[in-house]
Amino acid sequence: MTVAAGVGYVLIALGPALSLFASVIAKKPFLILTLLSSTLFWLISLIILAGAWRAFLPVKSTELWPYSILILTSVGFQEGIRIGFWRLFKKMEDMLNAFADRVSKPRLFLTDKMQLALAGGLGHGLAHAVFFCLSLLTPAFGPATFYVDKCPSIPFFLISAIIALGFVIIHTFSMVIAFNGYTEGKRKDQIFVPFAHLIAALITLINLVPGGCNIGLPLLCIMAGTTLYYNWQLVWRRLTEHQTTRSSD
Amino acid sequence: MPPPDDPPPTTTTTRTSIIDSLGVEIIGVMSPVSICMLLVVLILTSLSSPSTTSSTSPPPVTAATLIYVESDSDSPSHKLLGAVLDAAAFVALIAAATFLLVLLYYYNFTSFLKNYLRFSVFFVLFSMGGSIMASLLQHFSIPLDAPTSFILLFNFAILGVLSVFSPAVPILLRQSYMVSVAVIVAVWFARLPEWTTWVLLIALALYDLAAVLCPHGPLRILVELASSRDEELPALVYEARPTDSSHPVSPPASTPVASLGSVEMQPVSEASNSNSSSVDEEERSPLVSSPPVVRENLSNFNHEQVRDSNNSNHAVVEMETGESETLPLVEREGFRSSSNSDSEFEMFDSTRGIRLGLGDFVFYSVLVGRAAMYDLMTVYACYLAIISGLGCTLILLSVFRHALPALPISITLGVIFYFLTRLLMEPFVVGASTNLVMF
């Protein structure tokens, strides 16, 4: 509606991401590089998806099933990419450890690895927020606002900002969970991540129903909260275990 | 009884990890590039109001529109042909200017070149920067009167001239001025018509590749001349010095110090023509155009500074393939105490920084600015492409260890991503997100 509103929407979508960036990532240049490369990765996966779906667009917005197929394929593809990302991460970890041995410095700590995972996840979340929310926010800096037909109670920009916020949280922390899960080999964590992503994406399908966004938005926030909580429990457990194993020797 | 030392607040995290300082130089180059692009995008989006785009204002007559001026009514093939001709003419002009520069440098007209560059910086900051300032003032209706703005602009320009080649100016000021010059030139360049811009960017990337890597390319000759004379290049370069100035020159090869050791990405800014209707070659803005070159610098100590007995004038830096690391903090302290003269290191720590030519900054920003004229999604995609291209170039630099052009990879990736995003991704993402279906 004005520049103030536009900036407000940007901050709603990106506020936690920016504070995470400023407090954790900006201090270590290597994490910034990780963030940039994971953003690039997500962008490339999105381009591939878009290329695959180009022939079928535009999708008629009244029917549900094209969108559900779209979401299933997209989420499946992205989760597959996440495994590839994890393999790259392992390779990088080995390279860094070899380098650390060569310069006789300590190897990567657990907190380092978690921070790397966090930076990777934040890159994905940032890319989502920029491509799905920020790029459409340019009219919000002007004098008017916009409402979607299906959701006449909340301005479009606010909905997309809140959805972007939810997804930023989900992407960021599911990367940490996923990396921990793959490293430790725990099935529960490995299954949780694609599951959470899929459920969150399916929740946005509710927005296609007229008036559905009133239900969809809170559900999405609950999903984001669940991911956050799960991640918290996981990290707490890992760190206390690590602490006890280290102090015991 | 002396009080016991306070225990460190964090007992387990006092150990430094290797990822703490890895990649500082890369970030030191990427952040000014990002800031430059951000400023260009902001200026272009705020200055391009709907009224100016709908009116048919003729594009400025420049070196890049010598042969063909694009107008909306031409067919795509005609536009393409015209753009190619324009780009060819521009590249020829740039090549000629670079050869002239090399000739002058060869015959030791270095001080003439430096003064010419100072004049050009003044010209860019004062007149081109002034016109941008005027349009910004007008657009935002800022209440600033003419004499005050004239004085402010004049001061700004003079300070820029002073900071260009003198070593005594604080590095942050010099870096800011380099970025401002790049922003101003890029904003100016982005006013070119669309097809011409894209073809020009691709042509410049190819020219850069040729000029730096071919044995008789002008930039390669220039770089070799400068390194054989052991002087700094008389050109506009952005120097990303590390912020902690206590770096002594590392003793040759014995320490596991690896830094991307001064790869110089070379200079020059491009030739931009003035806005006058007479296409006058002499009035060309002094930013001699040669696309950037990356080179490994074997120290750039000033000649007066030959003090330290144990350190040679040439810092031999060891390269780690694919990774870069600055001196870890611990070892820095050690060096500091062991070196006999640390006071001058504050002023003459010119060995460790990556240097990137202003031409790079300008053309990256032109690409992103042109993407901004379409949509924000393309801006972000092109930004990521350029940054990753820059990262690749830096990594290649540490592998090859000689002059490398910084334009080709980034521009190629940027152009590819722009067209992919515009054609493929946008219908997909916009279609999904306007229906509030996201993943």
Side-chain angles (χ1 to χ4, degrees):
Chain A
M1 282 177 289
T2 48
V3 175
V7 172
Y9 291 132
V10 171
L11 286 178
I12 289 179
L14 283 184
L18 280 175
S19 45
L20 263 179
F21 184 82
S23 59
V24 176
I25 297 189
K27 301 205 168 98
K28 304 193 179 182
F30 195 73
L31 291 179
I32 303 181
L33 291 175
T34 313
L35 187 133
L36 285 173
S37 34
S38 82
T39 313
L40 185 72
F41 227 72
W42 205 84
L43 170 65
I44 294 178
S45 76
L46 199 61
I47 290 183
I48 296 177
L49 268 179
W53 271 91
R54 184 71 179 93
F56 305 100
L57 296 174
V59 181
K60 282 199 287 285
S61 61
T62 48
E63 300 172 35
L64 212 62
W65 60 269
Y67 281 110
S68 33
I69 298 185
L70 192 101
I71 288 202
L72 282 171
T73 49
S74 313
V75 173
F77 186 66
Q78 283 188 340
E79 291 304 320
I81 293 274
R82 197 192 294 273
I83 300 185
F85 200 56
W86 181 70
R87 298 246 164 80
L88 276 178
F89 173 72
K90 290 297 292 175
K91 253 190 246 173
M92 187 180 67
E93 203 184 312
D94 293 334
M95 266 184 356
L96 284 177
N97 277 334
F99 179 66
D101 289 338
R102 239 181 320 161
V103 286
S104 51
K105 296 204 66 205
R107 295 186 145 207
L108 285 178
F109 304 132
L110 179 65
T111 46
D112 286 338
K113 294 183 202 171
M114 285 200 196
Q115 279 178 344
L116 281 170
L118 185 73
L122 192 62
H124 278 213
L126 213 61
H128 173 99
V130 168
F131 286 108
F132 279 96
C133 171
L134 288 192
S135 54
L136 299 173
L137 268 188
T138 331
F141 286 88
T145 188
F146 180 66
Y147 290 87
V148 186
D149 290 336
K150 307 271 174 53
C151 198
S153 45
I154 319 177
F156 166 69
F157 305 115
L158 187 60
I159 308 177
S160 70
I162 295 182
I163 295 182
L165 173 67
F167 271 105
V168 162
I169 295 181
I170 291 179
H171 279 302
T172 310
F173 296 112
S174 51
M175 188 69 84
V176 179
I177 301 174
F179 277 18
N180 264 317
Y182 292 131
T183 314
E184 285 187 313
K186 285 205 169 157
R187 272 284 153 202
K188 194 167 71 127
D189 299 338
Q190 288 173 9
I191 298 282
F192 178 83
V193 168
F195 204 54
H197 193 187
L198 194 61
I199 295 207
L202 288 173
I203 287 177
T204 58
L205 275 183
I206 302 180
N207 294 329
L208 283 175
V209 176
C213 56
N214 297 314
I215 310 172
L217 278 188
L219 279 181
L220 188 67
C221 295
I222 292 176
M223 202 61 223
T226 314
T227 315
L228 193 54
Y229 178 73
Y230 192 84
N231 172 70
W232 174 28
Q233 296 294 312
L234 178 89
V235 171
W236 189 259
R237 180 180 55 81
R238 272 314 290 276
L239 282 179
T240 40
E241 275 173 10
H242 187 71
Q243 199 76 324
T244 48
T245 50
R246 269 200 25 240
S247 55
S248 63
D249 52 36
Chain B
M1 184 159 98
D5 287 335
D6 284 329
T10 55
T11 50
T12 53
T13 52
T14 45
R15 297 178 283 170
T16 55
S17 154
I18 50 166
I19 67 169
D20 281 349
S21 52
L22 211 56
V24 172
E25 285 112 354
I26 300 186
I27 296 294
V29 170
M30 282 186 187
S31 25
V33 173
S34 313
I35 293 175
C36 182
M37 288 197 235
L38 178 72
L39 286 174
V40 169
V41 167
L42 282 178
I43 293 180
L44 282 176
T45 48
S46 60
L47 284 185
S48 70
S49 55
S51 58
T52 54
T53 47
S54 58
S55 72
T56 52
S57 58
V61 179
T62 67
T65 49
L66 274 181
I67 298 184
Y68 162 74
V69 175
E70 188 176 317
S71 64
D72 290 328
S73 52
D74 296 335
S75 65
S77 56
H78 189 206
K79 281 191 204 175
L80 188 62
L81 185 63
V84 169
L85 288 175
D86 269 335
F90 192 72
V91 168
L93 224 55
I94 287 184
T98 317
F99 272 112
L100 185 64
L101 175 74
V102 172
L103 217 60
L104 286 175
Y105 190 61
Y106 185 71
Y107 287 113
N108 279 321
F109 281 103
T110 317
S111 58
F112 169 74
L113 282 172
K114 287 196 177 177
N115 288 328
Y116 188 55
L117 282 173
R118 287 192 180 113
F119 165 73
S120 71
V121 168
F122 181 77
F123 179 76
V124 165
L125 288 175
F126 191 72
S127 98
M128 287 159 70
S131 79
I132 292 179
M133 185 178 89
S135 30
L136 279 174
L137 286 179
Q138 204 173 5
H139 188 84
F140 291 112
S141 310
I142 301 179
L144 189 64
D145 58 319
T148 312
S149 53
F150 180 81
I151 291 178
L152 287 176
L153 189 63
F154 188 69
N155 283 347
F156 177 69
I158 288 288
L159 193 56
V161 169
L162 288 178
S163 67
V164 164
F165 279 119
S166 71
V169 172
I171 187 70
L172 191 61
L173 195 64
R174 195 182 326 173
Q175 288 172 342
S176 327
Y177 269 105
M178 288 290 127
V179 171
S180 347
V181 168
V183 165
I184 293 173
V185 178
V187 168
W188 192 88
F189 251 97
R191 293 186 196 167
L192 290 177
E194 186 170 2
W195 286 74
T196 313
T197 315
W198 290 111
V199 178
L200 189 66
L201 282 171
I202 298 177
L204 278 171
L206 291 171
Y207 166 71
D208 193 18
L209 201 58
V212 175
L213 295 179
C214 290
H216 289 292
L219 290 175
R220 188 168 179 156
I221 301 177
L222 190 66
V223 160
E224 282 166 10
L225 271 180
S227 70
S228 65
R229 291 184 198 175
D230 203 25
E231 283 177 357
E232 288 203 22
L233 281 152
L236 294 174
V237 224
Y238 178 91
E239 216 178 309
R241 276 197 211 150
T243 46
D244 34 12
S245 53
S246 59
H247 280 196
V249 175
S250 60
S254 53
T255 50
V257 172
S259 75
L260 266 192
S262 38
V263 269
E264 267 178 51
M265 306 216 202
Q266 249 223 16
V268 279
S269 354
E270 41 349 66
S272 49
N273 222 339
S274 59
N275 269 349
S276 61
S277 51
S278 66
V279 177
D280 196 356
E281 304 312 325
E282 281 76 43
E283 278 182 351
R284 241 176 330 128
S285 151
L287 309 181
V288 182
S289 54
S290 29
V293 149
V294 169
R295 133 180 125 120
E296 174 191 313
N297 182 19
L298 295 188
S299 155
N300 261 338
F301 260 14
N302 295 329
H303 286 290
E304 310 86 75
Q305 173 46 260
V306 190
R307 284 265 230 117
D308 314 300
S309 46
N310 54 345
N311 299 322
S312 62
N313 253 350
H314 292 263
V316 176
V317 284
E318 209 183 356
M319 301 291 195
E320 297 290 340
T321 52
E323 280 147 66
S324 66
E325 191 214 32
T326 54
L327 265 180
L329 206 53
V330 177
E331 286 173 56
R332 259 182 223 133
E333 312 285 285
F335 271 134
R336 193 185 218 166
S337 55
S338 64
S339 72
N340 31 17
S341 47
D342 14 316
S343 55
E344 48 250 56
F345 291 129
E346 309 254 297
M347 276 170 49
F348 300 102
D349 55 333
S350 53
T351 52
R352 305 281 209 104
I354 300 183
R355 294 154 147 235
L356 182 61
L358 275 199
D360 280 322
F361 278 80
V362 171
F363 287 112
Y364 293 161
S365 311
V366 167
L367 198 149
V368 173
R370 178 47 67 174
M373 291 186 188
Y374 184 69
D375 193 17
L376 211 59
M377 214 181 287
T378 45
V379 168
Y380 200 63
C382 291
Y383 168 75
L384 282 176
I386 290 179
I387 291 286
S388 53
L390 187 61
C392 284
T393 313
L394 288 174
I395 291 177
L396 278 181
L397 189 66
S398 69
V399 169
F400 282 113
R401 306 188 188 195
H402 65 81
L404 282 184
L407 273 187
I409 302 181
S410 296
I411 299 272
T412 318
L413 282 179
V415 171
I416 292 177
F417 270 67
Y418 174 80
F419 285 108
L420 278 180
T421 306
R422 182 167 167 170
L423 298 172
L424 287 185
M425 204 176 87
E426 204 183 335
F428 181 70
V429 170
V430 172
S433 58
T434 43
N435 284 305
L436 299 176
V437 171
M438 304 190 194
F439 50 88

